[in-house]
Structure formats: C-alpha cells, structure tokens
Amino acid sequence: MTAHDPADVSPSLGPESLTRAFAVLADTRRRAAVRYLHRYPSLSLPTLADGVAEREANAPLRDIDPDEVREVYLSLYHTHVPALEDASVVTYDQECDWVTRRDTCQCELVYAVFESAPSPPDDVRFG
C-alpha cells in the first residue's frame, strides 16, 4: 500500500469526516474490503467477497466452504458496500455487481487513517 499522510488530506474535511472514516474502519469485514480495494480498485462484488473470505479464513478460496463465501458476499452486498458507498469510499453498480474505489477526499481520508493507525487484531470490535 502506498503511504498517505493525513496532513495531505483536504483541510476542509471536518470532525464529521473523521468520524465517518473511523466508522468505515470500525468493522473487521469493511477493513478487509478496504484493504482489498486498495490493491484492486475496481472489481466485481463476488471477487471482492472471495478476497475478503480468504482474508477472514486465512486460507485459499478452494479451502473455504462455499456457504461461508456466500455469507461474506451477502453481508458485503447488504451492509458493508452500502456503508462504504455512503462514506464516499466506493461506488457500486448494482446492475453489473461491480465495486469501484472512488477518488475523493473522504476516500483518501479513510486510507490515511487506515495506514497511519496501528492495526488492531482482526477480532477487536469497536462500538
């Protein structure tokens, strides 16, 4: 990942933007999705679900129960991608089932926070 300096983020972003960035990163599955989208900025939702499932299971896709991958897909579809879209981090084309990382100040702020904060263990839950 490329390093982002929080000082490089637009000064017009206020405390609400920082709160939204932390809310986006508060969930383990969203952090995994953000990490994957940083590497692959435009991909199908099933591909994103595969990548997130691999990270969560710490195993290759072939070793993961298809029902678990389906559960990841459904949670991304119903909960996490909409949250990322609401936070202006991604756009989602439902017709094509395609997720694309946005190039916005909010997206840059999320990545700056993500990369500058120490990584908690994946089992740590916030809120």
Side-chain angles (χ1 to χ4, degrees):
M1 289 197 255
T2 60
H4 293 278
D5 182 353
D8 292 340
V9 177
S10 171
S12 65
L13 295 173
E16 297 85 20
S17 293
L18 190 57
T19 298
R20 285 187 1 187
F22 280 119
V24 164
L25 297 173
D27 185 87
T28 303
R29 189 160 282 167
R30 275 197 300 273
R31 285 195 306 272
V34 165
R35 183 184 310 269
Y36 206 77
L37 285 161
H38 190 61
R39 190 171 197 192
Y40 306 102
S42 187
L43 62 156
S44 71
L45 186 55
T47 301
L48 179 60
D50 291 349
V52 170
E54 286 178 322
R55 175 154 177 79
E56 288 181 359
N58 196 27
L61 190 59
R62 68 179 176 277
D63 295 342
I64 303 171
D65 184 321
D67 288 338
E68 290 180 38
V69 178
R70 183 175 185 272
E71 188 278 323
V72 170
Y73 173 88
L74 290 172
S75 74
L76 289 171
Y77 177 82
H78 288 291
T79 304
H80 303 297
V81 169
L84 292 170
E85 193 168 37
D86 287 346
S88 299
V89 175
V90 302
T91 57
Y92 176 62
D93 182 338
Q94 189 172 14
E95 187 175 308
C96 298
D97 211 13
W98 201 261
V99 182
T100 303
R101 187 182 72 215
R102 294 184 67 187
D103 292 324
T104 63
C105 289
Q106 183 64 33
C107 184
E108 288 299 313
L109 179 61
V110 166
Y111 283 103
V113 169
F114 184 76
E115 292 181 339
S116 64
S119 297
D122 281 341
D123 61 346
V124 171
R125 300 281 182 199
F126 299 94

